PDB file of all heavy atoms in Angstrom:
ATOM      1  N   ILE A  72     172.553 129.054 188.790  1.00 97.00           N
ATOM      2  CA  ILE A  72     171.174 129.310 188.598  1.00 97.00           C
ATOM      3  C   ILE A  72     170.409 129.504 189.936  1.00 97.00           C
ATOM      4  O   ILE A  72     169.431 130.237 190.011  1.00 97.00           O
ATOM      5  CB  ILE A  72     170.485 128.224 187.757  1.00 97.00           C
ATOM      6  CG1 ILE A  72     169.174 128.808 187.197  1.00 97.00           C
ATOM      7  CG2 ILE A  72     170.205 126.957 188.492  1.00 97.00           C
ATOM      8  CD1 ILE A  72     168.880 128.433 185.815  1.00 97.00           C
ATOM      9  N   GLN A  73     170.937 128.875 190.972  1.00 96.00           N
ATOM     10  CA  GLN A  73     170.411 129.121 192.298  1.00 96.00           C
ATOM     11  C   GLN A  73     170.495 130.514 192.827  1.00 96.00           C
ATOM     12  O   GLN A  73     169.793 130.952 193.732  1.00 96.00           O
ATOM     13  CB  GLN A  73     171.026 128.132 193.302  1.00 96.00           C
ATOM     14  CG  GLN A  73     170.703 126.661 193.031  1.00 96.00           C
ATOM     15  CD  GLN A  73     171.319 125.781 194.062  1.00 96.00           C
ATOM     16  OE1 GLN A  73     170.682 125.502 195.091  1.00 96.00           O
ATOM     17  NE2 GLN A  73     172.511 125.341 193.822  1.00 96.00           N
ATOM     18  N   LYS A  74     171.395 131.279 192.218  1.00 96.00           N
ATOM     19  CA  LYS A  74     171.633 132.670 192.611  1.00 96.00           C
ATOM     20  C   LYS A  74     170.645 133.644 191.934  1.00 96.00           C
ATOM     21  O   LYS A  74     170.586 134.811 192.281  1.00 96.00           O
ATOM     22  CB  LYS A  74     173.046 133.048 192.342  1.00 96.00           C
ATOM     23  CG  LYS A  74     174.000 132.234 193.237  1.00 96.00           C
ATOM     24  CD  LYS A  74     175.475 132.570 192.905  1.00 96.00           C
ATOM     25  CE  LYS A  74     176.366 131.714 193.793  1.00 96.00           C
ATOM     26  NZ  LYS A  74     177.746 131.836 193.459  1.00 96.00           N
ATOM     27  N   VAL A  75     169.935 133.178 191.034  1.00 95.00           N
ATOM     28  CA  VAL A  75     168.990 133.948 190.235  1.00 95.00           C
ATOM     29  C   VAL A  75     167.581 133.854 190.984  1.00 95.00           C
ATOM     30  O   VAL A  75     167.076 132.716 191.197  1.00 95.00           O
ATOM     31  CB  VAL A  75     168.747 133.488 188.757  1.00 95.00           C
ATOM     32  CG1 VAL A  75     167.741 134.326 188.038  1.00 95.00           C
ATOM     33  CG2 VAL A  75     170.101 133.499 188.060  1.00 95.00           C
ATOM     34  N   SER A  76     167.041 134.975 191.369  1.00 93.00           N
ATOM     35  CA  SER A  76     165.718 134.977 191.998  1.00 93.00           C
ATOM     36  C   SER A  76     164.655 134.487 191.041  1.00 93.00           C
ATOM     37  O   SER A  76     164.659 134.812 189.819  1.00 93.00           O
ATOM     38  CB  SER A  76     165.413 136.465 192.452  1.00 93.00           C
ATOM     39  OG  SER A  76     164.095 136.491 192.891  1.00 93.00           O
ATOM     40  N   LYS A  77     163.698 133.681 191.558  1.00 89.00           N
ATOM     41  CA  LYS A  77     162.690 133.107 190.693  1.00 89.00           C
ATOM     42  C   LYS A  77     161.839 134.225 190.034  1.00 89.00           C
ATOM     43  O   LYS A  77     161.263 133.948 188.925  1.00 89.00           O
ATOM     44  CB  LYS A  77     161.745 132.196 191.546  1.00 89.00           C
ATOM     45  CG  LYS A  77     162.399 130.872 191.900  1.00 89.00           C
ATOM     46  CD  LYS A  77     162.292 129.883 190.790  1.00 89.00           C
ATOM     47  CE  LYS A  77     162.642 128.531 191.265  1.00 89.00           C
ATOM     48  NZ  LYS A  77     162.262 127.445 190.325  1.00 89.00           N
ATOM     49  N   ASP A  78     161.731 135.357 190.598  1.00 93.00           N
ATOM     50  CA  ASP A  78     160.894 136.430 189.985  1.00 93.00           C
ATOM     51  C   ASP A  78     161.657 137.111 188.857  1.00 93.00           C
ATOM     52  O   ASP A  78     161.091 137.996 188.160  1.00 93.00           O
ATOM     53  CB  ASP A  78     160.413 137.432 190.992  1.00 93.00           C
ATOM     54  CG  ASP A  78     161.472 138.089 191.855  1.00 93.00           C
ATOM     55  OD1 ASP A  78     162.529 137.463 191.999  1.00 93.00           O
ATOM     56  OD2 ASP A  78     161.249 139.172 192.382  1.00 93.00           O
ATOM     57  N   ASN A  79     162.893 136.743 188.531  1.00 95.00           N
ATOM     58  CA  ASN A  79     163.625 137.205 187.383  1.00 95.00           C
ATOM     59  C   ASN A  79     163.436 136.407 186.113  1.00 95.00           C
ATOM     60  O   ASN A  79     163.898 136.793 185.051  1.00 95.00           O
ATOM     61  CB  ASN A  79     165.103 137.351 187.683  1.00 95.00           C
ATOM     62  CG  ASN A  79     165.456 138.527 188.586  1.00 95.00           C
ATOM     63  OD1 ASN A  79     164.844 139.589 188.493  1.00 95.00           O
ATOM     64  ND2 ASN A  79     166.368 138.339 189.458  1.00 95.00           N
ATOM     65  N   PHE A  80     162.731 135.298 186.237  1.00 96.00           N
ATOM     66  CA  PHE A  80     162.476 134.424 185.065  1.00 96.00           C
ATOM     67  C   PHE A  80     161.252 134.925 184.290  1.00 96.00           C
ATOM     68  O   PHE A  80     160.389 135.499 184.897  1.00 96.00           O
ATOM     69  CB  PHE A  80     162.248 133.001 185.520  1.00 96.00           C
ATOM     70  CG  PHE A  80     163.559 132.322 185.927  1.00 96.00           C
ATOM     71  CD1 PHE A  80     163.987 132.430 187.254  1.00 96.00           C
ATOM     72  CD2 PHE A  80     164.336 131.689 185.035  1.00 96.00           C
ATOM     73  CE1 PHE A  80     165.148 131.821 187.621  1.00 96.00           C
ATOM     74  CE2 PHE A  80     165.498 131.114 185.416  1.00 96.00           C
ATOM     75  CZ  PHE A  80     165.915 131.208 186.752  1.00 96.00           C
ATOM     76  N   PRO A  81     161.252 134.760 183.003  1.00 97.00           N
ATOM     77  CA  PRO A  81     162.204 134.086 182.156  1.00 97.00           C
ATOM     78  C   PRO A  81     163.473 134.941 181.867  1.00 97.00           C
ATOM     79  O   PRO A  81     163.396 136.198 181.985  1.00 97.00           O
ATOM     80  CB  PRO A  81     161.450 133.810 180.839  1.00 97.00           C
ATOM     81  CG  PRO A  81     160.383 134.875 180.816  1.00 97.00           C
ATOM     82  CD  PRO A  81     160.084 135.193 182.257  1.00 97.00           C
ATOM     83  N   ILE A  82     164.531 134.271 181.582  1.00 97.00           N
ATOM     84  CA  ILE A  82     165.837 134.976 181.243  1.00 97.00           C
ATOM     85  C   ILE A  82     166.321 134.412 179.914  1.00 97.00           C
ATOM     86  O   ILE A  82     166.135 133.215 179.572  1.00 97.00           O
ATOM     87  CB  ILE A  82     166.868 134.791 182.323  1.00 97.00           C
ATOM     88  CG1 ILE A  82     167.170 133.326 182.633  1.00 97.00           C
ATOM     89  CG2 ILE A  82     166.491 135.531 183.588  1.00 97.00           C
ATOM     90  CD1 ILE A  82     168.317 133.094 183.562  1.00 97.00           C
ATOM     91  N   SER A  83     166.984 135.261 179.198  1.00 97.00           N
ATOM     92  CA  SER A  83     167.601 134.846 177.932  1.00 97.00           C
ATOM     93  C   SER A  83     169.086 134.616 178.142  1.00 97.00           C
ATOM     94  O   SER A  83     169.730 135.379 178.858  1.00 97.00           O
ATOM     95  CB  SER A  83     167.429 136.023 176.891  1.00 97.00           C
ATOM     96  OG  SER A  83     168.070 135.686 175.681  1.00 97.00           O
TER      97      SER A  83
END
Side-chain angles (χ1 to χ4, degrees):
I72 200 140
Q73 292 181 92
K74 296 176 182 174
V75 179
S76 172
K77 286 278 193 169
D78 55 336
N79 284 322
F80 286 90
I82 55 174
S83 177

